[in-house]
Amino acid sequence: MDQVIFVELLGRTGDVAHRVPLTALPATVGRAYDNDVIVDDPFVAPHHLRIERRDDGSLGAVDLGTRNGLHILPDSGAGDALRLRIGHTLMRVRTRDFAVVSEQPDPVAARWGSVPATVLLLCAYLALLALHTYAGTVEEFVPARLFVGLPIALVVPAAWAGAWAAIGRLTAGRAMFFAHAALTLTGLVATLVIEPFSNLLAFSLSAPIVVTILPLVLGTIGGTLLFGQLRLVSRQPTALLATAAIIVVALGVSGTYVAGYLEAREDVSRLDAMHILEPPFTRLAPGVSVDAFIDGAQALEKPLAKLREEP
Amino acid sequence: MSRTSVLILAHLRAPLLVGLVMAASAFATADTPPPEVVTAEVSAQAQAVFDRARDQLLQVRMIDRGTQAQTSIGSGWIASPDGLAITNYHVVSQFVLDPDRYTVEFVRSGGSRGPLTVLAVDVVHDLALVRMAGDKLPALQLASTALRKGDRGFSMGNPHDLGLTIVEGTFNGMTEFTLTEQFNFTGAINAGMSGGPAVTLDGRVFGVNVANLRDGQLLSFLVPVRFVQELLARAPRAAPDPRTLRSMVERQLLDRQNDLFTRIAAQPMPVAPFGRYSVPDSLGTFMRCWGESGPDRTKPYEQAFKTCDAQGSIYIDGNFDTGGVRFRHELLKSKTLGWLRFSSLYQRSFARDTPEGDTTREDVTPFRCHERFVTHDGGTMRAVFCARAYKRLRGLYDVRLKLATLDSTHEGLLSWLAVDGVSLERGLAFGKRYLEAVRWTK
């Protein structure tokens, strides 16, 4: 007896729209109802092709004399026995020994989006915002100030998480609003912590590089969260989603640096320095003498000579 | 607070404006009755002065080689029968900096015109010595005696290309508290009159029109005639290669800053108390200082500042001035803000740099900075030294220094220094003295 084979008709998104197990060969495919596999495609002939087993045991397809022809597609490497296009329909044939990959980890299983975690993150986010507002108020501080930006500060992340949840509902069948909210809040909390911390570190160590790499750090965080949200809404392989997130981050971060470079090139008034001051007790880098400072500034001559040559 | 003088060079780039002026004057001619004979003595004097000087006056036009159209106009005057003439440096600056793109020509009162050769410039005093072809030309005489405050003077030129004009005004002596030596002249000098002569009642030149004050009323400035004498005295026999004029500008700027900073370095750095600090103070009579302090009751902190500015910047081209020295100290103090919020306040002031003018990428490179913690006099500060190089002039830099003391969580001194158009060496040397002059008095 012949082995069972599966003929799969693919939908527009590449998902299997129709799967027919065939136990006997040869078998025919076409629009007519006397075929083994019926294809509702006006560009497909009533009797379009025959699938048969060749002498060497491999599977083959034979055109039954059609107007639009039979297109055998090259092997994609996935292990399909046959890949074909007839009319506007993609179809493939797989045998029982087709090797499927192991299951993907389900991000929801990590309980990332549990309600308590989300609430905790929301509290952290609001506390950091309040601290930020308080520290940045150099006029008289009135507690009511804390509520000025609150609606925006809440609505924007909620809308963001809601949009992702809506996409998830459509593509994966599950909204998981709290998981998306938790991811969004994690990103905001990280940004609110990292930005002041980076300033503090740059000042404390007198290291401008810390400020220079800040867009990269923030971009990486943003990319990680994007990856997390893509994973919640998509069933594509992890590697593909990671690649997508990396490309988005790379474009965003390099765009930021290029824009900064172009602006600095045009702006002959801006002092190319950190402009950061923190409380004196946070300073770790040692002070140099006035002489050493001026000696160090002498080194500006070279880069300026180079800049002077630029058109 | 600070003075902005405008160079009176007319750039004709608004045909609409010219049209408006034409229409208005046509209207005026149609409606005004024929001028009556004016018998007032003063006007008769102006008439006589003008009649005597008319043939010696020039309109100086900068011509763009590409379009053969004028890009700017100024005035000038013949100073010797063999064709030496005087105008402002800023009237011919485009040619001096880019001789391949421009030519210079003159137009005389009769309408005759011809090319002008630039022989020498005095960029510091804004003068240029030019030559026109010809001999036995009518020339204006230079005044040999000094004027006194209140003397009458007559300034001439071609304002806005509207025709030769004579303006009566009052001589008011030297401008005070400025680096550049100029006469203060109360008279309506307008754009386009740059380079024209200001003469005494007997028709002798005592100054050259150069600038007016943007927010002033008839406040105008003249280059004293002694700088014209000095320039005439070093007139080269032959016209130099126009490309060497630029190095003449470089040398003059460096020399002027060398003189200034040698003078400043010859004495100990002037200092004055400022809160619990001692800070650099006015460097000389050429500097004008302003200050303000005292608590603003609506604010939870106290702020005081002091600004010192050396007037008399030197025009180079377009929006590009140099030669200034200025600094600013700011004191911030708060008992109620707490260290976190005081730090925000302090940081905000530190990040706000002093305005830089409209200099463009054509003239200067972007700033490059060197920043460190500097320990000095038992205290520590954050210090940033920045410089940008001049692109079209070699060896010249604009230098900036800013500092913030780091001695307290509720009090601090911020200070900014700006020195324009110096060698990097001078800038560093002065920056060092400035830093060393900042001390803690407790």
Side-chain angles (χ1 to χ4, degrees):
Chain A
M1 188 187 125
D2 258 323
Q3 239 187 331
V4 182
I5 66 163
F6 298 89
V7 174
E8 296 175 335
L9 303 182
L10 302 185
R12 273 178 209 142
T13 58
D15 285 353
V16 175
H18 194 49
R19 182 181 289 124
V20 183
L22 294 177
T23 49
L25 288 180
T28 58
V29 179
R31 209 150 34 81
Y33 282 80
D34 59 349
N35 286 297
D36 299 299
V37 178
I38 302 165
V39 181
D40 292 334
D41 178 344
F43 302 99
V44 167
H47 298 97
H48 203 109
L49 67 99
R50 188 173 66 233
I51 299 171
E52 58 186 29
R53 194 170 289 284
R54 301 201 192 94
D55 294 343
D56 62 357
S58 66
L59 292 170
V62 180
D63 191 327
L64 297 175
T66 60
R67 180 180 290 171
N68 291 332
L70 160 66
H71 304 272
I72 311 257
L73 303 177
D75 186 6
S76 70
D80 299 325
L82 271 176
R83 289 176 71 238
L84 311 167
R85 182 169 65 75
I86 50 172
H88 286 187
T89 303
L90 285 173
M91 59 184 280
R92 66 188 180 207
V93 178
R94 285 183 173 174
T95 56
R96 284 177 73 120
D97 56 1
F98 179 82
V100 296
V101 295
S102 53
E103 77 277 24
Q104 288 187 45
D106 186 349
V108 182
R111 299 189 58 77
W112 177 248
S114 70
V115 177
T118 309
V119 171
L120 210 66
L121 280 164
L122 183 65
C123 292
Y125 168 61
L126 293 178
L128 281 167
L129 264 190
L131 183 65
H132 208 260
T133 310
Y134 174 74
T137 306
V138 297
E139 307 300 321
E140 196 186 338
F141 184 77
V142 186
R145 225 176 240 282
L146 291 176
F147 297 94
V148 175
L150 201 59
I152 294 270
L154 287 175
V155 165
V156 171
W160 176 259
W164 278 104
I167 295 171
R169 188 83 185 81
L170 288 175
T171 59
R174 347 175 258 195
M176 292 182 292
F177 175 79
F178 282 99
H180 284 294
L183 277 172
T184 309
L185 289 168
T186 308
L188 290 169
V189 167
T191 307
L192 283 172
V193 170
I194 285 170
E195 205 161 349
F197 181 72
S198 134
N199 281 354
L200 186 65
L201 200 66
F203 171 83
S204 175
L205 303 176
S206 191
I209 181 79
V210 178
V211 186
T212 313
I213 62 165
L214 184 62
L216 186 63
V217 174
L218 293 179
T220 308
I221 291 170
T224 312
L225 295 169
L226 178 67
F227 169 68
Q229 297 194 299
L230 283 173
R231 232 160 59 112
L232 287 179
V233 300
S234 170
R235 299 168 67 181
Q236 298 296 329
T238 309
L240 184 71
L241 298 179
T243 311
I246 288 169
I247 288 171
V248 169
V249 169
L251 286 175
V253 171
S254 54
T256 307
Y257 280 117
V258 168
Y261 166 76
L262 290 178
E263 203 186 311
R265 196 163 162 258
E266 286 295 323
D267 189 349
V268 293
S269 302
R270 201 175 63 97
L271 300 185
D272 177 34
M274 290 200 294
H275 309 288
I276 295 173
L277 287 182
E278 298 286 346
F281 59 80
T282 62
R283 176 175 70 91
L284 291 176
V288 299
S289 69
V290 172
D291 286 326
F293 173 71
I294 294 295
D295 280 351
Q298 223 126 30
L300 292 173
E301 191 170 359
K302 247 188 201 156
L304 285 173
K306 217 174 128 196
L307 280 175
R308 205 175 165 267
E309 298 313 316
E310 280 179 16
Chain B
M1 185 185 84
S2 82
R3 201 188 78 190
T4 323
S5 51
V6 188
L7 298 162
I8 42 181
L9 175 77
H11 284 267
L12 290 184
R13 55 190 161 196
L16 181 68
L17 194 64
V18 174
L20 278 174
V21 170
M22 301 294 276
S25 53
F27 177 76
T29 324
D31 263 19
T32 332
E36 290 170 28
V37 179
V38 181
T39 50
E41 186 200 350
V42 170
S43 298
Q45 281 170 348
Q47 216 168 54
V49 169
F50 183 72
D51 285 345
R52 230 178 327 163
R54 183 205 314 264
D55 291 340
Q56 291 91 314
L57 298 179
L58 304 174
Q59 187 188 45
V60 180
R61 294 181 174 175
M62 185 65 48
I63 309 292
D64 174 70
R65 277 186 206 267
T67 57
Q68 285 300 313
Q70 57 192 20
T71 59
S72 69
I73 51 168
S75 299
W77 47 279
I78 302 170
S80 80
D82 59 346
L84 290 180
I86 294 292
T87 183
N88 284 139
Y89 160 79
H90 77 255
V91 172
V92 295
S93 66
Q94 285 170 298
F95 174 79
V96 169
L97 294 176
D98 205 348
D100 297 333
R101 258 185 71 188
Y102 300 96
T103 56
V104 191
E105 72 173 41
F106 70 86
V107 181
R108 290 179 70 185
S109 67
S112 64
R113 59 178 65 201
L116 282 177
T117 316
V118 180
L119 297 182
V121 296
D122 175 352
V123 67
V124 172
H125 301 102
D126 202 348
L127 289 175
L129 180 64
V130 295
R131 183 187 286 284
M132 56 193 278
D135 51 15
K136 299 196 182 122
L137 293 162
L140 287 174
Q141 302 291 311
L142 307 187
S144 48
T145 49
L147 273 73
R148 291 186 313 162
K149 205 174 248 209
D151 279 349
R152 190 174 301 146
F154 300 88
S155 161
M156 286 172 279
N158 192 338
H160 290 284
D161 209 12
L162 295 171
L164 287 177
T165 298
I166 183 162
V167 170
E168 191 172 332
T170 313
F171 173 82
N172 270 303
M174 294 298 271
T175 53
E176 291 176 13
F177 306 112
T178 55
L179 262 176
T180 313
E181 293 168 81
Q182 284 178 342
F183 287 150
N184 177 359
F185 181 72
T186 311
I189 299 185
N190 277 288
M193 291 175 76
S194 274
V199 300
T200 54
L201 263 174
D202 59 354
R204 289 170 179 267
V205 180
F206 69 92
V208 178
N209 307 336
V210 64
N212 61 14
L213 194 62
R214 200 185 296 248
D215 301 323
Q217 304 287 326
L218 300 185
L219 264 176
S220 301
F221 304 99
L222 306 172
V223 184
V225 74
R226 73 180 168 93
F227 298 116
V228 174
Q229 278 160 343
E230 286 171 17
L231 188 59
L232 284 168
R234 57 171 200 263
R237 280 178 198 286
D241 179 346
R243 285 176 194 82
T244 60
L245 291 168
R246 196 194 288 206
S247 53
M248 190 182 286
V249 171
E250 288 164 3
R251 204 182 53 244
Q252 288 172 358
L253 291 174
L254 282 171
D255 285 352
R256 137 75 196 252
Q257 293 300 66
N258 273 345
D259 287 351
L260 174 65
F261 283 95
T262 310
R263 236 161 68 205
I264 292 171
Q267 50 168 351
M269 188 80 163
V271 290
F274 192 61
R276 56 194 279 247
Y277 308 90
S278 162
V279 294
D281 196 24
S282 175
L283 299 170
T285 50
F286 54 83
M287 253 191 162
R288 199 177 273 139
C289 299
W290 308 84
E292 205 175 305
S293 73
D296 174 346
R297 287 182 209 296
T298 62
K299 294 200 163 93
Y301 55 87
E302 289 172 39
Q303 190 173 21
F305 71 85
K306 183 169 182 177
T307 308
C308 291
D309 195 345
Q311 302 286 348
S313 61
I314 302 165
Y315 175 94
I316 297 182
D317 192 27
N319 290 325
F320 187 27
D321 284 6
T322 187
V325 181
R326 55 197 178 277
F327 52 81
R328 173 188 164 92
H329 308 299
E330 184 175 330
L331 203 61
L332 283 169
K333 189 176 180 177
S334 175
K335 290 197 182 76
T336 53
L337 274 181
W339 63 268
L340 187 61
R341 290 164 67 202
F342 181 78
S343 174
S344 289
L345 175 73
Y346 204 42
Q347 145 86 50
R348 237 171 260 190
S349 272
F350 185 66
R352 206 166 30 228
D353 288 324
T354 47
E356 282 294 345
D358 302 324
T359 310
T360 64
R361 213 153 74 82
E362 192 187 4
D363 289 310
V364 290
T365 69
F367 278 107
R368 284 292 175 266
C369 300
H370 174 72
E371 50 185 326
R372 287 285 182 280
F373 293 117
V374 172
T375 303
H376 148 72
D377 190 36
T380 300
M381 51 182 131
R382 183 76 191 162
V384 186
F385 183 96
C386 304
R388 64 180 179 191
Y390 287 13
K391 276 190 167 170
R392 294 196 277 177
L393 301 170
R394 204 170 289 276
L396 288 158
Y397 298 82
D398 283 344
V399 160
R400 306 286 179 263
L401 174 68
K402 77 167 172 176
L403 62 93
T405 61
L406 297 170
D407 46 340
S408 159
T409 51
H410 60 273
E411 185 175 6
L413 167 78
L414 301 152
S415 186
W416 290 261
L417 165 70
V419 183
D420 292 338
V422 281
S423 67
L424 191 57
E425 198 187 350
R426 280 274 168 205
L428 284 163
F430 187 66
K432 178 170 182 280
R433 292 193 73 203
Y434 188 89
L435 267 177
E436 283 169 346
V438 174
R439 290 177 178 276
W440 283 259
T441 56
K442 292 287 170 194

